[in-house]
Amino acid sequence: NAGVTQTPKFQVLKTGQSMTLQCAQDMNHEYMSWYRQDPGMGLRLIHYSVGAGITDQGEVPNGYNVSRSTTEDFPLRLLSAAPSQTSVYFCASSFAGGRNQPQHFGDGTRLSIL
Amino acid sequence: AQSVTQLGSHVSVSEGALVLLRCNYSSSVPPYLFWYVQYPNQGLQLLLKYTSAATLVKGINGFEAEFKKSETSFHLTKPSAHMSDAAEYFCAVSEQNQGGKLIFGQGTELSVKP
């Protein structure tokens, strides 16, 4: 199994450009989430989904959109990139069934906004 | 609101010495706690989790953590550090109302000196 796959691994954008970060999982997990990692701040939740067609905001949702049309895929869209969105982005997935389910993480997308 | 605090953004130990990484949590409900490890340029990997079955939890790579309700702590330890343990370690608590969402501490970078 591939687990959680994120593409691209690296990306440089100019301010104002848009792009989509891809995330796919092959474990049939119901829950999927996007986090951003910034130095000294740990990981912060951007958006999450409990199943196809259902999404909700996390702690830092501004400037990002998500949708979930299938169980496997959960893309993250930056509508108009800003330097403050320079970060490392991680996608994670887990089974439903309670708060004790561990999340499985992808290897991240390192994004720089110039 | 739930929160996680990791004391010490950087910890340095000698090879063979005890590793102690501190984590304190705040939660109004019984917590589900996790420790993750992140090696350079990789995603997060689950070390261990506490889900109320036992207060001393053993994880991978010789790590263990003890849940102490009276101290609201979940410190991570390893009796003898190895060079390969050098990484960043994150403590996290599962969000109160729903699975699939984690609240992370700030992270602790562990260095191991030969």
Side-chain angles (χ1 to χ4, degrees):
Chain A
N1 284 343
V4 179
T5 303
Q6 292 184 236
T7 56
K9 294 188 183 303
F10 303 93
Q11 185 71 48
V12 178
L13 292 178
K14 294 181 179 179
T15 298
Q17 288 185 313
S18 63
M19 80 161 295
T20 300
L21 279 62
Q22 302 290 346
C23 176
Q25 54 91 10
D26 62 359
M27 297 173 283
N28 204 30
H29 286 168
E30 295 88 350
Y31 292 172
M32 295 187 74
S33 306
W34 276 102
Y35 296 87
R36 60 177 288 173
Q37 181 181 18
D38 301 292
M41 303 187 74
L43 281 76
R44 292 178 293 168
L45 183 66
I46 304 171
H47 285 285
Y48 69 96
S49 169
V50 298
I54 306 171
T55 64
D56 206 346
Q57 296 180 352
E59 179 185 356
V60 288
N62 292 342
Y64 308 95
N65 276 358
V66 293
S67 60
R68 191 154 175 217
S69 56
T70 67
T71 299
E72 295 78 18
D73 300 298
F74 191 43
L76 178 72
R77 298 181 185 85
L78 281 69
L79 304 177
S80 178
S84 61
Q85 294 178 304
T86 294
S87 187
V88 182
Y89 292 84
F90 287 99
C91 179
S93 70
S94 65
F95 286 113
R99 297 161 53 220
N100 62 338
Q101 295 295 324
Q103 294 195 24
H104 299 256
F105 286 81
D107 285 340
T109 294
R110 285 148 185 84
L111 182 62
S112 292
I113 315 296
L114 304 179
Chain B
Q2 292 172 294
S3 65
V4 175
T5 301
Q6 291 183 240
L7 298 177
S9 58
H10 292 91
V11 170
S12 181
V13 301
S14 298
E15 192 173 21
L18 171 71
V19 175
L20 170 61
L21 304 182
R22 301 178 185 273
C23 172
N24 288 88
Y25 69 91
S26 171
S27 177
S28 58
V29 298
Y32 290 100
L33 296 158
F34 304 83
W35 274 101
Y36 285 87
V37 60
Q38 183 183 31
Y39 299 104
N41 298 317
Q42 294 187 23
L44 277 70
Q45 178 182 358
L46 181 69
L47 273 178
L48 50 81
K49 67 177 183 178
Y50 168 75
T51 58
S52 76
T55 57
L56 184 62
V57 182
K58 294 188 182 298
I60 62 172
N61 301 339
F63 283 93
E64 63 182 33
E66 186 172 9
F67 174 74
K68 292 187 177 181
K69 183 178 179 180
S70 61
E71 299 177 7
T72 61
S73 68
F74 190 55
H75 301 333
L76 182 71
T77 60
K78 182 174 181 178
S80 177
H82 192 273
M83 296 295 291
S84 62
D85 294 327
E88 189 154 20
Y89 293 79
F90 291 94
C91 182
V93 63
S94 188
E95 222 272 351
Q96 176 173 336
N97 296 324
Q98 186 175 325
K101 298 163 66 177
L102 291 174
I103 298 168
F104 283 89
Q106 302 91 327
T108 298
E109 185 175 355
L110 176 66
S111 300
V112 182
K113 299 175 290 185

